């Protein structure tokens, strides 16, 4: 299961999001794909559910998309 | 755009297509808002450290302005940028709060004018972080006469809480928050940032606002003219839709001659701090207190003088005639948080 780290500070910026996870040296600006993942993490969920939702929406395609999803999940959740 | 802290509203207007923009303009607006929000998040981290430290030290506190307004007055906190952290502490805890905050790495910018000035008469003090950002530690909302008339201890009687990260933070109650927005818009800055006027609109339009309670407190603080000025200025400048009861009240309010005179101390275009300081002398109760206040203004401690690098004679000459110079202006040219 994944969920937002409650200690991570964040703000929406247009379609993107800026995160400041605990311990990070500087804020992380993330694009629209990551912002959608962040939105999906507003309640505890599993990776498969997130992946399925993104695939239905057409924003997750191919190997590169899966790698990006894994990266964002590592950055933004616990 | 940056001075008025409107990057969030700019981007929102582009997003809902009420403001047409080219691709380049959209990219610029996103870049500006991203940089602004990165700074805001860094400030939130500083704020959480400060609040945690004050809590550990057992010192009461209330979050003011920026972060509190962003979360409590606006539908999306991204609409409300800020440039520092503002925290209110009780007068009697002021020195302890400065000491506690210095353990989280912030350092007081200006020394106290004279011993006990902060606790008795001061607005507050600025504590700077080494890598940017600052905590404005407040004893009250503003300097000058209103610093004596605002019942700062009553600001701790009520609160609302907000969650930032995983921490619950206490802020002023609805009416007190509206009053602070009015003070900031009406008397803190000569030309308030438009976001400060927007704060007034948001606070005045809050469904939970109890108008009777607001005006009762405002009357006790002799601040009805401040409320009226802030609200009428906000409505005439921003022309928001609708007119809540507070805006209707403000439109019909007529300040007395005395209220107008007090406001003028805050409207001086030059040497504002000196005008406010002199006007403050009249507001101090008791002869001894009045002498202590005036002495601190005219003859600050050696340490305070040394920091500013000015001679007592130079200072005395300027305070005696506030129209000649501003003896207390800090490096920004604004009246100091002192």
């Amino acid at each position: 299961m994944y969920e937002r780290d409650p200690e991570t500070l964040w703000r929406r910026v247009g379609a993107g999001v800026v995160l400041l996870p605990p311990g990070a040296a500087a804020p992380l600006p993330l694009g629209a794909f990551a912002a959608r993942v962040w939105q999906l993490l507003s309640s505890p969920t599993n990776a498969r559910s997130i992946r399925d939702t993104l695939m239905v929406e057409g924003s997750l395609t191919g190997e590169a998309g899966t790698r990006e999803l894994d990266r964002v999940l590592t950055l933004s959740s616990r | 755009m940056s001075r008025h802290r409107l990057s969030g509203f700019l981007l929102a207007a582009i997003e809902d297509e009420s403001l047409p923009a080219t691709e380049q303009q959209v990219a610029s607006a996103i870049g500006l808002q991203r940089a602004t929000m990165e700074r805001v998040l860094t400030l939130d981290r500083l704020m959480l450290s400060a609040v945690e430290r004050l809590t550990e030290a057992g010192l009461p506190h209330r979050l003011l302005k920026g972060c509190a307004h962003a979360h409590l007055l606006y539908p999306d906190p991204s609409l409300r940028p800020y440039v520092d952290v503002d925290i209110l502490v009780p007068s009697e805890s002021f020195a302890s709060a400065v000491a506690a905050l210095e353990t989280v790495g912030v350092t007081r910018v200006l020394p106290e004018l004279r011993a006990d000035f902060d606790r008795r008469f001061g607005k507050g003090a600025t504590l700077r972080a080494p890598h940017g950002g600052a905590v404005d530690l407040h004893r009250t909302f503003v300097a000058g006469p209103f610093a004596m008339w605002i019942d700062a201890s009553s600001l701790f009687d009520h609160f609302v809480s907000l969650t930032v990260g995983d921490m619950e933070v206490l802020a002023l109650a609805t009416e007190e928050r509206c009053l602070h927005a009015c003070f900031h818009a009406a008397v803190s800055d000569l030309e308030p940032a438009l976001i400060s006027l927007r704060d007034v609109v948001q606070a005045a339009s809050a469904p939970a606002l109890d108008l009777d309670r607001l005006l009762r407190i405002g009357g006790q603080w002799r601040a009805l003219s401040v409320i009226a000025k802030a609200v009428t200025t906000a409505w005439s400048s921003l022309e928001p839709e609708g007119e809540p009861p507070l805006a209707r009240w403000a439109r019909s309010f007529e300040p007395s001659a005395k209220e107008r005179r007090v406001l003028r101390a805050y409207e001086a275009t030059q040497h504002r701090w000196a005008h406010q300081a002199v006007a403050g002398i009249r507001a101090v109760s008791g002869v001894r207190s009045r002498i202590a206040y005036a002495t601190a203004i005219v003859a600050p401690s050696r340490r305070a003088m040394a920091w500013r690098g000015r001679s007592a004679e130079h200072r005395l000459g300027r305070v005696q005639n506030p129209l000649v110079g501003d003896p207390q202006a800090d490096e920004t040219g604004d009246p100091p948080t002192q």
Side-chain angles (χ1 to χ4, degrees):
Chain A
M1 294 294 279
Y2 289 90
E3 64 180 328
R4 290 179 185 175
D5 184 337
E7 287 187 63
T8 295
L9 305 172
W10 64 281
R11 286 289 193 284
R12 193 181 67 82
V13 177
V17 67
V18 181
L19 304 183
L20 183 58
L28 304 166
L30 299 171
F33 177 79
R36 179 65 182 130
V37 175
W38 180 251
Q39 189 181 20
L40 293 171
L41 288 169
S42 60
S43 56
T45 187
N46 59 47
R48 176 184 288 271
S49 170
I50 294 173
R51 192 176 294 118
D52 290 350
T53 302
L54 294 171
M55 287 180 77
V56 168
E57 292 173 354
S59 56
L60 181 66
T61 51
E63 211 38 43
T66 303
R67 278 200 301 276
E68 175 65 0
L69 173 60
D70 290 342
R71 186 182 79 88
V72 173
L73 286 174
T74 305
L75 280 174
S76 61
S77 61
R78 65 175 186 180
Chain B
M1 192 59 64
S2 294
R3 171 178 137 52
H4 291 287
R5 301 183 205 160
L6 294 177
S7 56
F9 277 101
L10 171 66
L11 193 52
I14 291 172
E15 281 177 344
D16 70 14
E17 298 182 350
S18 54
L19 181 67
T22 64
E23 279 185 27
Q24 192 179 356
Q25 288 169 330
V26 172
S28 294
I30 290 174
L32 175 62
Q33 176 69 346
R34 184 184 296 133
T36 303
M37 290 300 106
E38 288 180 14
R39 197 164 54 245
V40 158
L41 292 180
T42 306
L43 288 169
D44 281 357
R45 179 184 274 177
L46 174 63
M47 179 275 290
L48 291 174
S49 300
V51 165
E52 190 171 30
R53 187 68 198 91
L54 292 171
T55 304
E56 286 169 357
L59 299 170
H61 52 273
R62 296 285 183 270
L63 186 62
L64 300 176
K65 295 200 292 187
C67 184
H69 284 351
H71 285 273
L72 296 169
L73 293 181
Y74 290 82
D76 176 354
S78 306
L79 290 170
R80 193 3 177 133
Y82 35 96
V83 295
D84 57 17
V85 174
D86 292 276
I87 299 175
L88 178 82
V89 294
S91 304
E92 64 274 14
S93 304
F94 195 85
S96 304
V98 171
L101 291 181
E102 287 188 331
T103 67
V104 300
V106 293
T107 309
R108 182 168 183 160
V109 178
L110 299 176
E112 189 172 21
L113 272 181
R114 284 187 84 91
D116 220 21
F117 183 88
D118 289 343
R119 182 185 67 82
R120 300 177 69 188
F121 311 116
K123 173 190 171 188
T126 298
L127 295 95
R128 286 208 191 287
H131 305 298
V135 177
D136 269 352
L137 191 66
H138 292 249
R139 184 193 72 87
T140 186
F141 293 164
V142 287
F146 287 113
M148 321 305 160
W149 294 334
I150 293 170
D151 180 4
S153 64
S154 71
L155 296 170
F156 295 88
D157 293 345
H158 305 275
F159 66 88
V160 296
S161 64
L162 61 147
T163 301
V164 182
D166 65 344
M167 194 183 291
E168 187 184 23
V169 182
L170 304 186
L172 296 176
T174 304
E175 292 75 31
E176 286 86 342
R177 189 167 58 254
C178 182
L179 282 159
H180 192 197
C182 288
F183 269 100
H184 190 66
V187 298
S188 283
D189 295 323
L190 198 55
E191 290 181 37
L194 290 176
I195 199 70
S196 299
L197 297 177
R198 184 72 202 195
D199 288 343
V200 173
V201 171
Q202 296 294 123
S205 306
L209 183 72
D210 181 337
L211 182 62
D212 291 339
R213 180 168 185 267
L214 175 89
L215 296 180
R216 189 168 64 248
I217 299 171
Q220 288 164 354
W221 294 357
R222 309 183 202 188
L224 293 179
S225 58
V226 172
I227 302 171
K229 181 184 175 190
V231 173
T232 53
T233 304
W235 251 261
S236 63
S237 302
L238 302 178
E239 299 178 2
E241 287 180 9
E243 190 182 47
L246 180 57
R248 284 197 291 279
W249 170 86
R251 194 156 41 83
S252 63
F253 179 80
E254 276 295 328
S256 67
K258 188 175 179 183
E259 286 171 323
R260 276 196 292 270
R261 192 171 62 242
V262 171
L263 279 182
R264 273 200 297 276
Y266 292 90
E267 291 167 349
T269 54
Q270 291 184 305
H271 326 308
R272 297 183 67 230
W273 192 87
H275 282 274
Q276 291 173 27
V278 170
I281 293 173
R282 287 183 182 167
V284 175
S285 296
V287 175
R288 282 170 187 254
S289 294
R290 200 170 282 183
I291 291 170
Y293 176 84
T295 303
I297 301 298
V298 176
S301 69
R302 282 173 186 268
R303 186 157 171 263
M305 289 298 293
W307 196 93
R308 292 166 179 82
R310 294 175 178 175
S311 71
E313 292 78 14
H314 175 84
R315 180 183 187 78
L316 185 60
R318 289 182 130 190
V319 170
Q320 282 173 334
N321 183 354
L323 299 179
V324 176
D326 191 341
Q328 273 279 297
D330 66 11
E331 64 274 22
T332 66
D334 295 327
T337 301
Q338 182 56 272

